[in-house]
């Protein structure tokens, strides 16, 4: 059995690395690949090892998905907002530092996650009815904080509502996506347009600065504080229904101002993504709620022992941490690359991926999202207000309006 579990961790680590390094590919996609080979893998490895492989892929993805967002400015559903300060550091020649900050945030979150996992498992199920009822109200308060803390509340409200309308439309008609990657795959073109292509289209000329090899310049207390904030946000979205990692990052945005705390935001959002993976597992075990495609497959094949799958996830996290640091070394190859040419090349690649993964409807959402994503820079408000695309549908769903 030990050999099969180790094989499961290695398979999950490989798949999570691939999904994290390719923009637009989520761990859910890799879960689909495992499902396609399910009968053979179950016969060879057994259900516990396949379950560990699935969860390992999800955990490793939360580490490695910072690499394309940092170096190329292309987000996936989990890195939509953190791409902004991370890519900015890369444009200052500090891309490796941004990747290391992200890896540290995810790693430190593990120290906070385990106690929360036990608390969630044993104490929150009895309060779930009250939590569900207050979800919409809580998100409305958070949206208000997001808007009122901006430079121009009027324009921020307009961008928030505009992106929210686009999000409602995208989720309402997500069934038009022509592929089997699931309704949640509409997040790929939606967030790529809002936070990726719209930024790359305004890329300046010149060349990418030489990347300096350096460790993360952050104090231990600051690292723990920001990782703790991120873990808390990840805990909220990992347990509450209808929320995603993108929403967790939006929850953090009112606590940070642009500029000096960009590094803290990178740490916090990475911690939130990793914490969300583990506490989403807690929600599946305690409530039977499936927070993503990986959890759906886990429920289908039969949940392994919780201690076994958690141990596999921790081992995968260690692997993901090392792999992310190694990938961060790739920053040195970017020095001197023409910025505009690289931006256009990345736009072409992610547009092709959007078409392959989501079809014509996804392309329509991508174009609309890109147009909306250009608005914040025109009216001089923070791009985080575009998270209305995720928050507004969740609010309406929670209040039984949508």
């Amino acid at each position: 059995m030990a050999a099969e579990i180790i094989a499961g961790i290695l398979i999950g680590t490989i798949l999570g690395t691939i999904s994290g390094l390719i923009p637009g590919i989520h761990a859910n996609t890799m879960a689909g690949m495992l499902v396609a080979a399910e009968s053979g893998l179950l016969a060879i490895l057994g259900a516990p090892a396949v379950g560990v492989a699935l969860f390992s892929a999800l955990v490793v993805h939360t580490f490695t998905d910072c690499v394309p967002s940092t170096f190329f400015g292309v987000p996936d559903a989990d890195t939509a907002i953190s791409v902004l300060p991370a890519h900015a550091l890369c444009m200052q020649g500090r891309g490796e530092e941004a990747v290391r900050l992200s890896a540290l945030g995810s790693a430190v979150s593990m120290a906070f996650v385990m106690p929360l996992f036990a608390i969630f498992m044993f104490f929150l199920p009895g309060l779930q009815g009250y939590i569900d009822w207050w979800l919409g109200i809580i998100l409305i308060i958070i949206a208000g904080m997001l808007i009122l803390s901006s430079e121009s509340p009027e324009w921020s409200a307009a961008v928030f509502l505009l992106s929210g309308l686009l999000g409602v439309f995208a989720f309402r008609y997500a069934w038009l996506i022509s592929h089997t990657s699931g309704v949640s795959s509409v997040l790929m073109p939606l967030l790529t347009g809002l936070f990726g292509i719209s930024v790359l289209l305004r890329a300046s000329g010149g060349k990418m600065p030489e990347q300096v090899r350096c460790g993360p310049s952050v104090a231990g207390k600051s690292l723990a504080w920001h990782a703790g904030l991120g873990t808390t946000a990840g805990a909220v979205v990992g347990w509450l229904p209808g929320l995603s990692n993108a929403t967790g990052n939006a929850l953090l945005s009112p606590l940070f101002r642009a500029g000096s705390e960009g590094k803290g935001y990178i740490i916090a959002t990475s911690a939130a993504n990793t914490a969300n993976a583990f506490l989403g597992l807690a929600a599946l075990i305690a409530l039977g709620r499936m927070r993503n495609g990986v959890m759906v497959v886990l429920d289908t094949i039969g949940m392994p022992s919780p201690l076994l799958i958690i141990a596999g996830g921790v081992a995968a996290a260690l692997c993901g941490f090392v792999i992310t640091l190694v990938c961060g070394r790739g920053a040195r190859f970017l020095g001197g690359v023409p910025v505009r040419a690289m931006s256009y090349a990345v736009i072409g690649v992610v547009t092709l991926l959007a078409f392959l993964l989501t079809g014509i409807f996804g392309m329509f959402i991508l174009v609309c999202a890109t147009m909306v994503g250009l608005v914040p820079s025109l009216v001089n408000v923070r791009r985080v207000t575009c998270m209305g695309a995720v928050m507004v549908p969740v609010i309406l769903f929670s209040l039984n309006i949508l």
Side-chain angles (χ1 to χ4, degrees), residues 8 12 27 30-32 34-35 49-59 293-294 297-298 301 309:
M30 295 301 164
L34 283 176
V35 169
V50 174
V52 169
L54 285 165
F55 189 63
S56 297
L58 180 62
V59 171
V294 172
V297 180
L298 277 175
I301 66 174
I309 198 167

Side-chain angles (χ1 to χ4, degrees), residues 185-197:
S185 62
V186 76
L187 282 171
M188 187 267 179
L190 182 63
L191 297 181
T192 296
L194 290 171
F195 296 96
I197 293 180

Side-chain angles (χ1 to χ4, degrees), residues 18-37:
I18 294 172
S19 66
L21 296 181
I22 301 177
I25 303 296
H26 193 267
N28 289 344
T29 307
M30 295 301 164
M33 293 176 60
L34 283 176
V35 169

Side-chain angles (χ1 to χ4, degrees), residues 23-238:
I25 303 296
H26 193 267
N28 289 344
T29 307
M30 295 301 164
M33 293 176 60
L34 283 176
V35 169
E38 179 180 345
S39 58
L41 286 174
L42 287 175
I44 298 172
L45 299 178
V50 174
V52 169
L54 285 165
F55 189 63
S56 297
L58 180 62
V59 171
V60 172
H61 179 97
T62 68
F63 279 82
T64 57
D65 62 358
C66 69
V67 176
S69 62
T70 298
F71 295 153
F72 307 120
V74 179
D76 69 4
D78 299 339
T79 62
I81 304 179
S82 61
V83 61
L84 304 177
H87 190 57
L89 283 176
C90 183
M91 295 303 293
Q92 297 171 18
R94 298 159 62 192
E96 183 175 357
E97 180 183 2
V99 171
R100 286 176 176 265
L101 285 168
S102 178
L104 280 173
S106 291
V108 174
S109 73
M110 302 292 294
F112 298 101
V113 160
M114 294 309 159
L116 283 175
F117 195 99
I119 292 171
F120 277 37
M121 284 285 295
F122 294 107
F123 295 104
L124 287 189
L127 302 174
Q128 193 61 41
Y130 300 100
I131 293 173
D132 290 348
W133 191 88
W134 279 97
L135 175 59
I137 305 300
I138 293 171
L139 287 180
I140 290 174
I141 294 173
I142 292 168
M145 293 172 56
L146 181 65
I147 292 170
L148 293 176
S149 65
S150 69
E151 300 82 353
S152 175
E154 298 85 358
W155 277 113
S156 293
V159 172
F160 184 85
L161 293 175
L162 179 62
S163 61
L165 288 174
L166 176 61
V168 169
F169 173 81
F171 286 109
R172 175 66 178 81
Y173 295 100
W175 56 271
L176 291 172
I177 289 177
S178 58
H179 295 273
T180 59
S181 47
V183 170
S184 63
S185 62
V186 76
L187 282 171
M188 187 267 179
L190 182 63
L191 297 181
T192 296
L194 290 171
F195 296 96
I197 293 180
S198 58
V199 175
L200 295 174
L201 284 174
R202 297 178 62 85
S204 60
K207 296 183 178 181
M208 184 75 74
E210 293 296 327
Q211 299 293 307
V212 179
R213 187 184 180 191
C214 60
S217 55
V218 60
K221 289 184 178 179
S222 178
L223 174 62
W225 169 251
H226 290 111
L229 284 177
T231 302
T232 302
V236 172
V237 300

Side-chain angles (χ1 to χ4, degrees), residues 216-297:
S217 55
V218 60
K221 289 184 178 179
S222 178
L223 174 62
W225 169 251
H226 290 111
L229 284 177
T231 302
T232 302
V236 172
V237 300
W239 190 265
L240 294 177
L243 303 186
S244 65
N245 285 342
T247 314
N249 294 344
L251 299 183
L252 291 166
S253 59
L255 304 176
F256 297 85
R257 301 293 298 179
S260 61
E261 292 191 288
K263 292 187 288 186
Y265 196 41
I266 295 170
I267 294 169
T269 51
S270 299
N273 294 339
T274 301
N276 177 271
F278 279 88
L279 297 173
L281 177 66
L284 174 62
I285 297 171
L287 300 174
R289 290 185 171 178
M290 293 160 281
R291 303 290 291 110
N292 51 56
V294 172
M295 300 304 162
V296 172
V297 180

